[in-house]
Amino acid sequence: MAGTYEEFAKFIRGDLRSVYKPLNRDKNEIRRVMLFGEKQRSADIECSMETYSLDTVDEEGAVAYTALSYAWGDPHDIEYIWIKNFSDANTWQLFPITKNLCDFLRHARRKRQSIWLWADQICINQGDNEEKSSQIRLMGKIFQRASSVCCWLGKVNNATYLAVRLLEIITAGPESYNLIKEDHLRAILELLNRSWWSRLWVAQEVILARSVTLVCGKYNIPLLDLMSAWDPFHLQGKFAARLDLEGNGIDLERFDSWLVENVAGRLTMVTRFMRTAIHDSVDNLPLALDCLRGLECSDPRDKVYGALGIYAEFANSIRVDYSASLREVYTWAAIDIIRQSRSLDLITLATIPSVQLRHPETPSWVPDWRAPEEGPQGKGWRMALAGYQFSLGGLRLHESRLFNACGSLALNCTLVDGFTLRTDAIILDEITVLGAQGCTFDNQPSRESFEPWSKSLEQWAKSVQFDSYQLYPRGPSNHEAFLSTISRDMQEEDGSLVRMTEETHARISMDRLVPFSDYNADDEVKDTKDFRLFHSNRFYSSMVNVRLCRFSKGYVSQVPESAELGDVVCILGGARLPYLLRHIEDNEHTSTDDIDKPTKVFRLIGPCFVFGAMDGEAVVEDHCVESIDLV
């Protein structure tokens, strides 16, 4: 029975007391839906609802219902089902749901047999913000306690059979790859482009589930089977199987590129990270939120709420309130994470993507989770600085963090006026010379793209007035400071990022960098360890979307490309990186403050690499610690 969006919107704002029985929060109550078996194929869908405590579990800790993971679909495409009134079993009421959910209910309905389901669109009163807020806190448990999770991809079409057949072929191994046709690849692209894969809530629903089955019409695909087959197929597709596939006329370059960027690949990365990383550490929550940035949700507040179920231990301390503004939700989440982690590292995530992509109402120190995903170079730089790294299976934490600029300067911050972060800081220096911008391309240097990268390197050295014989403020030569700065003092070793060693510093000098920037060097030169190091990802990626600068005391730094003359670099209490700040104004303290002088007010520009200040050196010296405000 079809309906309109206007009817749906009116319904969820209307009087639902006849449908929804109040929930007892003390008992962790939810609602589950009984989908009645069909009496005849054309019959309307009939359901009833009952309240159910998540504390009621079987011997294996499961609750008797199947949780549904699905995309709501077009809110303007509405159909009606019948639901029994909880107060009168003989009375039925029409209930509007989106067509995609209705399609699933028709698919799942069985002859003369009822089944228990949980679907948020029905089981949560969408017109009650207070109930929505309380149920969001239980979302992790809802999927964790469910006997199974069904992921509804939508109705079957002509391509579905070919997509399922491709999964069977790649599961059989490389010896079967010669059976793959281009139609198979087009079919799998269609399947993986369905809206379910781009849902933000999917990560939580899949990660916490006991068992996950993808359902597309009549086809059921266990998610673990898909994931285990997908990676070997992708890797083999780049090597041994490439000839077989190319012989079938398949454009593998285009297909491989799509595999890296498609939403299914991103979901796989997020899922693997969540399943292998440490779940009981709040340090992981900022990374989880950042990984989910590119996934979609209808309410931008869910960019925060959508990951809380994975970190159930901390969900109760982060406020969930659908009556709060977006600015309040993001700020509350940021300050709660900072307090629990006893670290200011979260603010690194607030500065990338660039300031131009941020919403103007969001405080500069608060991550704007709505901003689109950035390129891989910027993400790699930020996560490496914050202590994370990419690996073949996804993301993982370093065993030890690479930098500790704050040294012994501990976190000491408070929230002022609801949105201003007041924190201890050491104002280290001010930019007096601003160098040329680095590269803006994202790909590894090639014969076509390496020349501008090489020129950028030479421009950087000239633009900050480097003199190879001049001493750096802390003793080493300028060329050592320059080399450490352009690489952020990191190199790759056995697939991990580590601090650059003294041996590396001694082996590569400024005089040798310029010859090594020649992409057309002969094979003997290319085979040297120095050449391979110079052309590694660590060097070229570290120059993307940043610029070099000098401070008044002679420090050299890599700073965000939006840096300006007069910006200051600060060491903040509890922050492992130095940060570039822009002075805005001074605030007069109220009479309740014990500080006599005004507080300096700054806007956060971004993290920076300051050679000679990355390991707490500035805190050891006699620098003045003062209180500043970040707005």
Side-chain angles (χ1 to χ4, degrees):
M1 186 179 297
T4 66
Y5 174 72
E6 287 71 22
E7 291 173 335
F8 182 56
K10 182 179 179 180
F11 178 81
I12 65 173
R13 291 194 299 267
D15 186 358
L16 306 177
R17 286 176 294 182
S18 63
V19 176
Y20 289 117
K21 181 180 179 180
L23 298 172
N24 187 331
R25 297 184 187 179
D26 294 334
K27 294 182 179 180
N28 286 330
E29 279 191 345
I30 63 169
R31 298 184 187 92
R32 61 177 183 172
V33 175
M34 176 174 283
L35 175 62
F36 294 116
E38 65 176 352
K39 301 172 184 177
Q40 57 187 27
R41 184 173 294 277
S42 60
D44 292 335
I45 293 174
E46 297 177 349
C47 302
S48 67
M49 267 193 294
E50 72 169 22
T51 59
Y52 197 86
S53 173
L54 286 175
D55 297 333
T56 305
V57 296
D58 61 20
E59 294 180 356
E60 296 181 355
V63 181
Y65 63 84
T66 294
L68 179 62
S69 173
Y70 69 108
W72 274 38
D74 185 356
H76 295 84
D77 196 358
I78 302 300
E79 297 196 14
Y80 283 91
I81 61 175
W82 289 100
I83 291 186
K84 278 188 178 182
N85 290 347
F86 78 86
S87 58
D88 183 357
N90 296 318
T91 304
W92 296 77
Q93 180 167 329
L94 283 173
F95 191 100
I97 59 175
T98 57
K99 184 179 183 303
N100 190 46
L101 176 56
C102 195
D103 287 341
F104 169 78
L105 295 180
R106 285 199 183 93
H107 166 79
R109 186 170 53 173
R110 301 166 184 171
K111 288 184 179 181
R112 305 183 184 281
Q113 182 180 356
S114 299
I115 57 174
W116 286 107
L117 299 170
W118 184 93
D120 63 339
Q121 199 175 138
I122 301 174
C123 297
I124 298 177
N125 185 347
Q126 301 296 327
D128 186 340
N129 282 332
E130 185 176 352
E131 179 177 302
K132 284 173 62 179
S133 300
S134 65
Q135 289 287 285
I136 287 297
R137 294 190 181 281
L138 296 176
M139 197 68 72
K141 287 184 178 180
I142 288 172
F143 281 85
Q144 194 172 39
R145 299 281 177 84
S147 55
S148 63
V149 171
C150 173
C151 303
W152 174 245
L153 302 185
K155 299 172 72 173
V156 70
N157 60 24
N158 293 334
T160 309
Y161 166 75
L162 292 173
V164 174
R165 176 58 181 148
L166 175 60
L167 296 178
E168 293 174 346
I169 292 173
I170 62 179
T171 302
E175 62 277 4
S176 301
Y177 287 177
N178 61 331
L179 299 176
I180 298 174
K181 308 297 182 184
E182 187 164 6
D183 286 346
H184 290 113
L185 299 183
R186 288 174 177 168
I188 200 70
L189 297 188
E190 189 279 332
L191 182 69
L192 295 177
N193 265 326
R194 295 194 178 204
S195 57
W196 180 83
W197 297 96
S198 61
R199 288 181 62 244
L200 179 142
W201 289 98
V202 162
Q204 175 176 265
E205 295 161 0
V206 166
I207 291 159
L208 299 175
R210 295 171 179 272
S211 66
V212 182
T213 301
L214 305 179
V215 179
C216 185
K218 65 180 182 180
Y219 296 104
N220 297 338
I221 309 168
L223 181 61
L224 289 180
D225 289 354
L226 173 61
M227 290 176 60
S228 61
W230 193 254
D231 277 356
F233 172 61
H234 182 201
L235 294 174
Q236 288 291 335
K238 290 186 173 182
F239 302 106
R242 178 174 294 276
L243 292 177
D244 292 333
L245 296 181
E246 287 180 342
N248 291 332
I250 296 171
D251 185 351
L252 279 184
E253 290 294 339
R254 177 172 57 84
F255 186 65
D256 282 346
S257 175
W258 187 90
L259 283 176
V260 173
E261 299 174 2
N262 80 87
V263 291
R266 182 166 60 246
L267 176 64
T268 300
M269 181 197 72
V270 172
T271 303
R272 286 193 165 185
F273 164 70
M274 299 297 184
R275 285 181 171 175
T276 57
I278 306 170
H279 286 186
D280 61 355
S281 172
V282 75
D283 288 344
N284 290 355
L285 182 54
L287 181 59
L289 295 175
D290 195 62
C291 286
L292 300 176
R293 186 193 292 273
L295 299 176
E296 298 172 2
C297 58
S298 57
D299 189 330
R301 289 171 291 194
D302 289 338
K303 292 285 188 174
V304 171
Y305 300 154
L308 294 185
I310 304 167
Y311 300 91
E313 182 179 344
F314 306 100
N316 291 331
S317 62
I318 294 181
R319 283 167 281 187
V320 178
D321 185 354
Y322 278 98
S323 65
S325 69
L326 190 67
R327 184 187 185 201
E328 289 174 320
V329 170
Y330 286 8
T331 303
W332 292 345
I335 192 64
D336 287 342
I337 291 172
I338 287 170
R339 287 169 175 166
Q340 290 183 70
S341 63
R342 300 297 301 164
S343 166
L344 267 184
D345 288 344
L346 173 79
I347 68 174
T348 305
L349 304 179
T351 58
I352 305 175
S354 65
V355 175
Q356 289 80 4
L357 298 176
R358 293 176 54 82
H359 192 280
E361 293 185 358
T362 307
S364 66
W365 59 275
V366 174
D368 186 347
W369 306 114
R370 295 165 297 175
E373 282 191 305
E374 59 190 317
Q377 312 301 351
K379 183 183 286 287
W381 177 40
R382 180 197 56 222
M383 290 185 177
L385 286 174
Y388 301 104
Q389 72 171 90
F390 287 101
S391 66
L392 184 61
L395 293 160
R396 67 173 183 234
L397 286 168
H398 282 300
E399 292 184 1
S400 60
R401 303 302 172 91
L402 298 181
F403 304 110
N404 188 32
C406 64
S408 60
L409 186 63
L411 177 73
N412 182 23
C413 67
T414 185
L415 196 61
V416 180
D417 300 329
F419 301 101
T420 299
L421 184 70
R422 182 162 295 168
T423 181
D424 283 352
I426 295 173
I427 300 178
L428 188 62
D429 210 348
E430 177 180 331
I431 294 180
T432 55
V433 178
L434 193 57
Q437 289 187 338
C439 303
T440 58
F441 55 86
D442 292 328
N443 297 323
Q444 186 170 352
S446 64
R447 290 184 183 276
E448 292 75 24
S449 66
F450 197 88
E451 184 176 355
W453 183 82
S454 177
K455 289 182 177 179
S456 293
L457 185 68
E458 297 177 19
Q459 290 173 358
W460 269 23
K462 294 176 181 178
S463 64
V464 292
Q465 304 167 11
F466 264 105
D467 179 350
S468 297
Y469 301 100
Q470 179 183 345
L471 287 180
Y472 194 72
R474 297 188 181 277
S477 64
N478 257 354
H479 96 265
E480 183 178 350
F482 181 77
L483 175 64
S484 296
T485 302
I486 65 172
S487 65
R488 302 189 191 108
D489 203 29
M490 293 184 287
Q491 66 184 59
E492 295 183 12
E493 185 175 290
D494 298 327
S496 299
L497 291 177
V498 297
R499 294 292 292 271
M500 196 168 282
T501 63
E502 293 184 6
E503 177 188 0
T504 302
H505 282 287
R507 198 171 66 239
I508 301 181
S509 68
M510 277 297 297
D511 293 337
R512 301 174 70 188
L513 279 178
V514 176
F516 284 135
S517 67
D518 181 8
Y519 185 83
N520 297 310
D522 58 44
D523 291 340
E524 183 177 350
V525 174
K526 285 185 177 182
D527 195 44
T528 64
K529 188 174 183 180
D530 294 346
F531 187 88
R532 292 196 303 272
L533 174 65
F534 180 70
H535 290 82
S536 71
N537 179 70
R538 180 75 265 121
F539 273 83
Y540 75 80
S541 66
S542 65
M543 293 178 61
V544 175
N545 299 329
V546 294
R547 59 199 314 173
L548 213 61
C549 75
R550 264 195 184 277
F551 294 101
S552 60
K553 298 176 184 176
Y555 289 103
V556 64
S557 175
Q558 241 195 68
V559 293
E561 59 184 346
S562 57
E564 297 178 0
L565 291 174
D567 288 346
V568 297
V569 62
C570 290
I571 307 297
L572 305 178
R576 280 186 281 261
L577 304 176
Y579 288 91
L580 195 69
L581 309 180
R582 186 163 298 155
H583 186 243
I584 304 298
E585 59 186 3
D586 290 342
N587 271 344
E588 294 289 343
H589 287 287
T590 63
S591 58
T592 58
D593 288 316
D594 296 328
I595 307 175
D596 296 329
K597 61 182 181 180
T599 302
K600 295 178 181 178
V601 181
F602 296 90
R603 187 176 302 279
L604 178 66
I605 304 302
C608 47
F609 180 92
V610 183
F611 184 69
M614 300 303 296
D615 299 301
E617 298 94 331
V619 180
V620 175
E621 297 179 356
D622 188 21
H623 282 290
C624 175
V625 178
E626 54 187 291
S627 179
I628 66 169
D629 284 351
L630 293 178
V631 295

